[in-house]
């Protein structure tokens, strides 16, 4: 790959779309952080719990007590600096690190869209998003450019496209398409929504939503890409996300996606948008229209950056398929489920009753999970194997401190998936204290009594 | 034009696909009326159960008054009878920890056992200290385990060995009389406040809060019901005395009516019946079944083509009741003679905890309490 010779890498576009994207991304992240703090979730999710579930390999990432608030403040201010394009490189690196740190503190709160934010922030570190319409560009004329390499805009589109398309692929399974699950479970419970509420109990609506949802996810990146279908696609984006926002508690995500997809719009649209803003803010937009082009060779370490981003994209394309390396039903074992854009696919719930046995006296104790976990943590723990194992190890250590030598930890865990009757999830005879976390298949999971066909 | 064509193609594709795949079973079906369920719960189950409970407490108050005026063995027995009747009636209201009952902590102030007879390092005052000093505040949290049915149990059966000695204590000590009266009045004032609230504005608030948010009536009461079934019934009445949570060390003193010592099985069976009746929407007075968790599950089962969960739960209720029937009258005595019978009851109740917490909540899309973070 030689950036100078490759014609694609010598294509240039107006920097306006990238600037608009930076502004929306920064402000929406700032709002998300403010909202998160305003709802009291920092305290509830990161300060009150006595125990936190870690990602494998990131056990060292923990909330830092009351100072956790500082991480959020830091993250929010970084987002604001990104929006303004103020000391952009430093701001986006700060944002990426603090946001990712927050997400790694407790996997109970894992959401695909938080993962998306982390990925996007990582990519933005390498993009000249402050070249245009930013405080940096205003103050440092030597980094101000009106035009940037096209790939710096396209890579944002590719990331967005992956999110949608892979979310669509994940819906191509028998539960979603042939049984309208889990929408058939979720939609009737939204009976109280004005106007559409009564429709949500109709079976045909469950199927219609499932199929439209799958096609929407698969097609929308392409519809956004082509000029002829772009406006229609954007209307769909707005309708789809507003509808999901009304029906499900998904926070800021719909707005993030709606504003992100604007990057597919033309240079002209972005210039017009910035002109309008400039009028309100009394900013001279013409200052930024300096006609200068950020040529590839002027980007520091451009080859390294391109190679890194290429590798990043390849990983992104392959990573969601890692579940193929594991035996058993993905929805059941969840081995390879996270970080794969598998969104809203399962109604899964569990009940985990831990039993501690003293190997010397053979006495057994049932654990009251709520002594150690918040209701939210207990709910998430009770149907995800890695959570169960981590909690089992915590219980082992806890009861060892309480004076039991080498306590054995077993669990009686029942899980129900997509309306199927609950069944035993984990071999109740296995001493989980002796099992180690790894990327290998967890042999102590009991097999799923049914089959879900498809991707 | 092309845009319109594309839209039609897209809509057509979606339309056909969904048309082909739905088997059309339930399209014309009426939806489940959740408000009817709330009305049935309020008007036919909860309010009548509270009415019955407050009546039983009125009798208890009256009998206690007769006894403290004229302490003798016959009057003592009359209070004991009234106590047991009220205790049994309590099993039918204890699970509705919502509204005023939640605010006043009706369940905790009425039924924490074992009751604290004597002070200890953690809490200096027990019932005996309260009686001796004559100064105590039963509305204080520190006195939560020196009142309610377990404290009355001690006052009526446990303060002395024989009935004659018990009567003598009342004859000779006015502080005993006052404490007994205060306990009885306190129980009734709690229950009266809750009933008055239900009969006042709360009933309408309750039936109109019919959404599916964390604070809606259905979600809250279902969470309360499951909590009660899991913690108060399964764990409290049988699991704890059977040693499930204490490494197999049985705790025979941690039963209801410990000093009376022959009613813990009866109270357990009443509580199982009460839970089963609530699940089936069975009217307190007439026994007629109305809209309920059972009929809701049956409705959802039809949509979701799932398993007949309502039936499974009812079968499990019967199994648990049959198992509990084999207990001796005193669970204390049972765990000491043959704990396996008690453990069997625990296991059968446990199976329904799983059905409730996993299968039922999942089918109804009801969140576990207080979980209001974002999803994706």
């Amino acid at each position: 790959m030689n950036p100078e010779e490759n014609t694609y890498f010598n294509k240039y576009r107006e920097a306006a779309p990238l600037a608009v994207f930076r502004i929306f991304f920064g402000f929406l992240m700032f709002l998300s952080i403010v909202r998160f703090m305003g709802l009291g979730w920092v305290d509830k999710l990161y300060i009150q719990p006595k125990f936190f579930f870690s990602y494998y390999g990131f056990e060292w990432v923990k909330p830092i007590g009351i100072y956790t608030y500082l991480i959020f403040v830091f993250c929010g201010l970084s987002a604001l600096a990104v929006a303004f394009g103020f000391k952009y490189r430093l701001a986006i690196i700060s944002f990426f690190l603090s946001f990712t740190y927050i997400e790694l503190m407790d996997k109970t709160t894992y959401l695909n869209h938080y993962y998306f934010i982390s990925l996007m922030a990582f990519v933005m570190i390498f993009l000249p998003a402050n070249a245009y319409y930013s405080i940096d560009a205003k103050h440092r004329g030597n980094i101000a450019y009106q035009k940037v390499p096209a790939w710096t805009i396209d890579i944002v589109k590719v990331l967005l496209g992956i999110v949608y398309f892979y979310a669509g692929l994940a819906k191509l399974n028998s539960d979603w398409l042939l049984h309208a699950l889990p929408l058939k479970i979720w939609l009737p419970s939204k009976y109280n929504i004005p106007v559409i509420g009564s429709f949500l109990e109709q079976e045909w609506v469950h199927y219609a939503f499932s199929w439209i949802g799958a096609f929407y996810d698969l097609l929308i990146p392409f519809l956004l890409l082509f000029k002829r279908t772009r406006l229609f696609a954007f209307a769909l984006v707005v309708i789809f996300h507003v509808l999901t926002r009304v029906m499900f508690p998904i926070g800021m995500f719909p707005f993030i996606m709606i504003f992100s997809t604007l990057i597919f719009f033309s240079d002209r649209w972005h210039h017009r948008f910035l002109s309008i803003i400039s009028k309100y803010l009394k900013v001279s937009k013409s200052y930024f229209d300096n006609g200068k082009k950020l040529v590839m060779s002027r980007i520091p370490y451009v080859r390294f950056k391109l190679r890194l981003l290429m590798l990043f994209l390849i990983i992104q394309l392959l990573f969601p398929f890692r579940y193929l390396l594991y035996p058993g039903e993905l929805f059941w074992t969840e081995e390879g489920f996270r970080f794969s854009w598998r969104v809203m696919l399962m109604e899964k719930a569990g009940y985990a009753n831990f039993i501690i046995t003293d190997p010397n006296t053979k006495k057994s104790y049932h654990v009251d999970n709520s002594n150690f976990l918040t209701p939210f943590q207990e709910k998430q723990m009770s149907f995800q194997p890695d959570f169960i194992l981590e909690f089992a190890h915590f219980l082992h250590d806890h009861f060892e401190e309480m004076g039991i030598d080498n306590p054995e930890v077993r669990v009686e865990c029942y899980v129900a998936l997509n309306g199927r009757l609950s069944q035993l999830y984990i071999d109740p005879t296995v001493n989980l204290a002796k099992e180690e976390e790894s990327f290998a298949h967890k042999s102590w999971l009991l097999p799923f009594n049914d089959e879900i066909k498809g991707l | 034009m092309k845009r319109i064509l594309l839209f039609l193609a897209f809509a057509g594709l979606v339309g056909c696909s969904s048309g082909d795949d739905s088997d059309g079973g339930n399209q014309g079906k009426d939806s489940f009326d959740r408000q009817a369920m709330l009305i049935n719960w309020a008007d036919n189950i909860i309010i009548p159960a509270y009415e019955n409970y407050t009546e039983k407490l009125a009798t208890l108050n009256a009998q206690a008054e007769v006894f403290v005026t004229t302490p003798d063995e016959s009057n003592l027995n009359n209070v004991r009878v009234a106590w047991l009747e009220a205790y049994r009636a309590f099993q039918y209201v204890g699970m509705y920890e919502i509204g005023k009952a939640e605010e006043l902590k009706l369940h905790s102030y009425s039924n924490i056992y074992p009751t604290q007879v004597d002070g200890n390092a953690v809490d200096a005052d027990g019932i005996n200290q309260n009686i001796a000093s004559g100064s105590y505040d039963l509305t204080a949290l520190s006195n939560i385990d020196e009142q309610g049915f377990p404290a009355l149990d001690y006052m009526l059966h446990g303060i002395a060995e024989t009935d004659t000695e018990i009567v003598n204590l009342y004859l000779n000590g006015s502080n005993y009389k006052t404490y007994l009266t205060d306990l009885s009045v306190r129980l009734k004032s709690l229950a009266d406040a809750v009933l008055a609230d239900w009969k006042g504005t709360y009933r309408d608030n309750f039936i109109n809060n019919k959404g599916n948010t964390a604070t809606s009536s259905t979600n809250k009461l279902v969470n309360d019901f499951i909590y009660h079934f899991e913690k108060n019934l399964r764990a409290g009445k049988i699991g704890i005395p059977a040693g499930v949570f204490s490494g197999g060390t049985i705790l025979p003193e941690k039963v209801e009516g410990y000093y009376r010592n022959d009613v813990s099985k009866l109270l357990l069976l009443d509580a199982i019946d009460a839970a089963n009746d609530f699940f089936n929407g069975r009217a307190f007075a007439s026994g007629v079944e109305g809209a309920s968790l059972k009929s809701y599950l049956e409705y959802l089962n039809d949509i979701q083509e799932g398993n007949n969960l309502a039936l499974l739960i009812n079968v499990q209720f019967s199994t648990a009741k049959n198992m509990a029937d084999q207990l001796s009258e005193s669970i204390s005595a049972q765990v000491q003679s043959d704990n396996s019978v008690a453990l069997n009851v625990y296991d059968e109740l446990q199976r329904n905890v799983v059905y409730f917490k996993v299968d039922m909540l999942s089918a109804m899309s009801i969140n576990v309490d207080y979980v209001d973070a974002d999803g994706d």
Side-chain angles (χ1 to χ4, degrees), chain B residues 57 64 71 88 96 122 141 150 156 184 213 225 230 241 247 262 288 306 362:
Chain B
L57 286 174
R88 296 188 66 182
Y96 309 121
V122 185
L141 214 53
L156 297 173
S184 168
T213 60
F225 168 70
E230 183 182 15
D262 61 355
V288 175
S362 196

Side-chain angles (χ1 to χ4, degrees), chain A residues 35 41 44 112 184 189 191-192 201-202 211-212 232 249 344 347 351 363-366 414 421-422, chain B residues 7 14 17 27 31 34 210-212 231 244 247 249 299 305 307 350-351 359 362 365 372 374-376:
Chain A
R35 170 176 176 268
W41 287 356
K44 204 180 86 171
N112 284 290
K184 203 184 261 186
S189 72
Y191 54 87
N192 222 27
E201 297 188 276
Q202 308 273 326
W211 281 74
I212 293 173
F232 166 66
M344 306 203 81
E347 165 59 36
Y351 177 86
K363 282 189 171 186
S364 289
Y365 304 79
H366 286 230
Y414 287 88
L421 197 65
S422 57
Chain B
F7 175 77
V14 163
S17 328
Q27 296 185 8
S31 63
R34 288 154 190 89
K210 57 186 174 165
N212 188 32
K231 307 276 178 181
V244 172
T249 308
Y299 160 76
E305 307 154 37
N307 306 280
Q350 171 71 11
R351 189 62 202 149
D359 299 273
S362 196
S365 227
D372 69 338
D374 287 341
D376 70 2

Side-chain angles (χ1 to χ4, degrees), chain A residues 76-286:
Chain A
L77 291 178
S78 308
L80 212 51
V82 168
F84 284 106
F86 175 67
K87 298 198 183 299
Y88 172 75
R89 196 79 53 193
L90 182 67
I92 190 70
I93 291 173
S94 305
F95 176 78
F96 166 71
L97 291 177
S98 55
F99 190 90
T100 307
Y101 188 94
I102 290 169
E103 294 323 313
L104 291 175
M105 289 192 301
D106 186 357
K107 66 183 170 190
T108 307
T109 56
Y110 170 80
L111 292 181
N112 284 290
H113 71 256
Y114 291 152
Y115 174 54
F116 169 71
I117 301 298
S118 276
L119 295 184
M120 189 58 91
F122 174 76
V123 168
M124 284 172 73
I125 292 173
F126 306 98
L127 304 184
N130 59 339
Y132 188 78
Y133 212 78
S134 71
I135 292 180
D136 287 347
K138 179 87 183 167
H139 290 306
R140 290 163 52 207
N142 62 331
I143 66 136
Y145 297 96
Q146 189 188 339
K147 288 173 194 284
V148 291
W151 68 264
T152 63
I153 296 170
D154 290 342
I155 191 167
V156 174
K157 296 183 192 172
V158 172
L159 263 191
L160 281 165
I162 290 176
V163 173
Y164 279 116
F165 190 72
Y166 275 69
L169 286 182
K171 292 184 172 71
L172 302 182
N173 67 71
S174 54
D175 268 15
W176 184 272
L177 296 174
L178 303 183
H179 304 289
L181 285 165
L183 291 186
K184 203 184 261 186
I185 298 174
W186 289 339
L187 295 184
S189 72
K190 311 293 171 192
Y191 54 87
N192 222 27
I193 296 172
V195 190
I196 57 168
S198 59
F199 288 100
L200 299 178
E201 297 188 276
Q202 308 273 326
E203 192 176 30
W204 68 269
V205 174
H206 310 149
Y207 281 96
F209 274 43
S210 296
W211 281 74
I212 293 173
F215 274 96
Y216 167 84
D217 282 340
L218 288 170
L219 295 178
I220 208 75
F222 306 103
L223 296 179
L224 282 166
L225 218 46
F226 299 111
K227 201 178 158 211
R228 283 179 199 286
T229 52
R230 190 171 297 141
L231 208 60
F232 166 66
F234 185 69
L236 284 184
V237 166
V238 173
I239 294 169
F240 178 84
H241 286 297
V242 167
L243 209 58
T244 52
R245 180 72 180 83
V246 170
M247 288 194 289
F248 302 106
I250 43 180
M252 297 289 289
F253 180 64
F255 306 112
I256 294 165
M257 291 310 268
I258 288 173
F259 285 105
S260 294
T261 48
L262 289 174
I263 197 156
F264 285 91
F265 280 63
S266 67
D267 294 346
R268 211 162 55 104
W269 185 91
H270 283 93
H271 275 298
R272 207 182 306 158
F273 176 79
L274 287 175
S275 300
I276 294 167
I277 297 193
S278 301
K279 221 176 281 170
Y280 277 103
L281 298 179
K282 301 197 168 41
V283 173
S284 158
K285 176 176 176 293
S286 56

Side-chain angles (χ1 to χ4, degrees), chain A residues 33-49:
Chain A
I33 296 288
V34 169
R35 170 176 176 268
F36 201 96
M37 295 177 80
L39 287 169
W41 287 356
V42 180
D43 181 56
K44 204 180 86 171
L45 300 175
Y46 296 115
I47 296 179
Q48 281 181 10

Side-chain angles (χ1 to χ4, degrees), chain B residues 261-273:
Chain B
N261 207 25
D262 61 355
V263 293
S264 41
K265 170 189 175 182
L266 184 66
L267 295 171
L268 169 69
L269 283 171
D270 283 343
I272 298 175
D273 277 335

